[in-house]
Amino acid sequence: MLTTLVLIPFVGALVTAVMPARPKLWAFGFAIATLIAGLVTMFTAPDTDVVWMEPLGVHWALEMDGFGKLMVLLTVVLVPLVMVAAVKDHDKRWYAWALALEAFALLTFLAADLFVFYIAFEATLIPAYFMIGQHGGPNRAKAALKFLMFQLGGGLVLLGALIGFFVVSSEAGAPSYLISDLARLDIGTTAERWIFVAMFIAFAVKAPLFPVHTWLADTTEQATTPTSVLLVCVLDKIGTFGMIRLCLGLVPEASAWATPVVIVLALISIVYGAVLAIGQDDLLRLIGLTSLSHFGLITLGIFAATREGLVGAILYMVNHGVATAAMFLIAGFLIARKGTASISSMQGLEKATPVLAGTFLIAGLATAGLPGLSQFVSEIMVLISAFDYHWLVGVIAVTAIVLAAIYVLWAYQRIFTGPAQLSRRPVRDLDRREVGVLVPLLVALFFFGFVPGPLISAAQPVVAPLVDVIQAGE
């Protein structure tokens, strides 16, 4: 059943690419089928484990624990929504690549074999590269190439970790890439640290984290907003997913050894990303850079390695995906009306577009961690873990809240308040299709703000053994 969940969007991508009539409708149908399959497998799907390449110890092994369920749910919900948002200005190639990206992202979240994870990790680059390069701004080809080079570099060092695990598991008796087998290996300290460094660099590029984040703003500026949703809200989650599943899960002692350096990088990302966002005039770059700050908070929660921190980080991944997707889509609707992403070219839109202004404010305040909206609970849990780690780390991390309020409210003020600019054509408010895209996301922001229990219950069973292993190794 889990294999079927991966195959549905993959087959859908092939069908969409060759279908001569109504390819977008076919793509949407496969996205809905994937959504239904994803919901069903959360309750009924057994694990899959079939020997694939015996000499290398590779298994076609898939499993779905609570963490995987949350990532799968985020993915299968966002894809049909962005397809509806993209219907007017994207061709069938984009829809086919979107389904391919969904298939490979689901495979990374379900993989119980490191080799399978690596294949999917690298394969995500192909649809992402073409989605950036074929649709977007005038410099999209350059942005796509920069994205590809950074990601390929990260994948190359991850390959080094893969080879390291093969050598160590072979010396232990038989090669194996099953993550459950690798977690039981007795790896020497030096080898474990090198493996950690390789994996962390790969995941820091993907996440992204300072200083390997520079592809982020260029990509979000040049890509279309539906593409940015899939890149930032789904694809980038593979980075922090790998930090938890593979860094903490397979090399916990090396993770504890590297924690001080990682915490510093996370704090720089938090502050640097937020400060850069405040100074942006391009709305898409602004949203992209807020994610640099948010991924810093997620990484901080992961490596503080407390129960609150890890649960908060997992919740943050889900809530960031929902809130930032709403921000990107609203920005896309806004840019479609004004013909520019320049904030200084927008002013006084509040009266003409009250619904658009209201949704922008709600999504923005969600990203800023306003109480009552989903990101608040996860942010508080991460900040508690930061203060547990060291009071100074907590103090610096708290600045994220202040800076987030500044870049959200200042952007709102510049775009929606003040006298309206003279325009040859009136700016219309959101239509029914656009409202239909945003309503599920806004409902999720409020629901998980007041009822975070289901997310916490899904994350806790995954977190408890990780914390025990890390604390035993310290």
Side-chain angles (χ1 to χ4, degrees):
M1 190 66 184
L2 293 178
T3 302
T4 304
L5 175 59
V6 175
L7 284 177
I8 291 172
F10 187 75
V11 172
L14 298 177
V15 171
T16 302
V18 301
M19 191 58 64
R22 298 187 173 185
K24 296 180 183 179
L25 189 60
W26 278 94
F28 185 71
F30 275 99
I32 292 298
T34 308
L35 170 61
I36 295 170
L39 296 175
V40 171
T41 53
M42 288 180 190
F43 300 100
T44 62
D47 296 345
T48 300
D49 188 353
V50 178
V51 176
W52 182 13
M53 290 182 272
E54 191 171 2
L56 294 177
V58 176
H59 293 231
W60 179 260
L62 307 177
E63 65 180 16
M64 189 192 290
D65 59 12
F67 190 15
K69 287 179 181 178
L70 294 179
M71 293 299 100
V72 167
L73 181 63
L74 178 67
T75 304
V76 298
V77 168
L78 286 183
V79 170
L81 290 178
V82 298
M83 282 187 171
V84 175
V87 70
K88 286 188 174 179
D89 49 7
H90 293 67
D91 60 22
K92 75 173 186 179
R93 296 177 301 170
W94 185 92
Y95 279 77
W97 289 125
L99 284 170
L101 182 67
E102 182 180 28
F104 295 133
L106 290 174
L107 188 54
T108 60
F109 296 137
L110 296 173
D113 183 288
L114 183 58
F115 196 91
V116 175
F117 176 90
Y118 176 74
I119 291 174
F121 181 89
E122 289 289 72
T124 55
L125 303 185
I126 300 170
Y129 170 76
F130 285 107
M131 289 169 75
I132 300 167
Q134 291 177 344
H135 299 80
N139 295 319
R140 58 185 182 275
K142 185 178 178 181
L145 181 61
K146 187 175 183 179
F147 167 85
L148 186 66
M149 297 305 292
F150 268 83
Q151 302 294 335
L152 282 176
L156 190 61
V157 292
L158 183 59
L159 178 61
L162 203 75
I163 295 170
F165 275 121
F166 178 82
V167 172
V168 174
S169 62
S170 298
E171 291 176 349
S176 174
Y177 280 114
L178 283 174
I179 292 175
S180 57
D181 288 346
L182 298 179
R184 291 192 291 268
L185 282 177
D186 183 14
I187 308 173
T189 302
T190 302
E192 183 173 334
R193 290 179 179 180
W194 278 112
I195 288 173
F196 169 83
V197 170
M199 290 196 297
F200 181 77
I201 290 173
F203 298 142
V205 172
K206 183 74 80 179
L209 198 68
F210 176 89
V212 286
H213 67 282
T214 59
W215 60 269
L216 175 65
D218 292 340
T219 300
T220 54
E221 180 185 8
Q222 295 300 321
T224 61
T225 51
T227 299
S228 293
V229 171
L230 295 181
L231 293 181
V232 177
C233 303
V234 176
L235 194 64
D236 290 358
K237 298 297 185 299
I238 297 172
T240 44
F241 180 85
M243 290 180 192
I244 296 174
R245 180 79 85 206
L246 301 179
C247 290
L248 298 190
L250 299 184
V251 286
E253 293 181 15
S255 298
W257 162 73
T259 289
V261 175
V262 176
I263 293 290
V264 170
L265 294 177
L267 290 176
I268 294 173
S269 297
I270 291 168
V271 178
Y272 184 58
V275 171
L276 287 180
I278 291 172
Q280 292 301 311
D281 182 61
D282 187 288
L283 182 58
L284 297 177
R285 288 184 74 90
L286 185 155
I287 299 172
L289 288 166
T290 64
S291 291
L292 173 61
S293 182
H294 293 147
F295 276 106
L297 276 169
I298 295 170
T299 305
L300 177 60
I302 293 170
F303 281 86
T306 65
R307 281 180 171 78
E308 292 79 11
L310 276 166
V311 171
I314 292 173
L315 265 62
Y316 211 124
M317 290 168 65
V318 177
N319 296 327
H320 170 269
V322 176
T324 303
M327 284 293 287
F328 269 124
L329 292 173
I330 293 166
F333 298 149
L334 189 58
I335 292 166
R337 285 158 172 76
K338 297 296 295 180
T340 176
S342 173
I343 294 174
S344 58
S345 299
M346 308 176 194
Q347 188 179 354
L349 297 176
E350 194 173 43
K351 290 183 179 179
T353 61
V355 179
L356 200 158
T359 54
F360 181 94
L361 187 60
I362 293 170
L365 292 176
T367 64
L370 187 75
L373 295 170
S374 61
Q375 207 148 296
F376 171 73
V377 176
S378 46
E379 202 161 89
I380 287 297
M381 296 181 80
V382 169
L383 292 176
I384 289 172
S385 70
F387 278 103
D388 281 344
Y389 183 80
H390 194 282
W391 67 267
L392 184 57
V393 171
V395 169
I396 296 173
V398 164
T399 61
I401 297 176
V402 180
L403 295 173
I406 293 173
Y407 61 65
V408 167
L409 294 177
W410 196 31
Y412 181 88
Q413 181 190 34
R414 286 184 287 169
I415 295 171
F416 293 103
T417 64
Q421 292 178 332
L422 295 176
S423 176
R424 291 183 178 178
R425 59 178 183 178
V427 179
R428 58 182 173 80
D429 208 344
L430 294 177
D431 60 29
R432 286 184 292 181
R433 175 183 63 89
E434 294 163 337
V435 171
V437 169
L438 294 175
V439 163
L441 300 174
L442 298 180
V443 168
L445 292 179
F446 282 108
F447 179 79
F448 291 120
F450 286 97
V451 191
L455 299 181
I456 295 174
S457 298
Q460 278 182 332
V462 181
V463 163
L466 284 176
V467 174
D468 293 340
V469 170
I470 293 166
Q471 291 179 347
E474 288 179 340

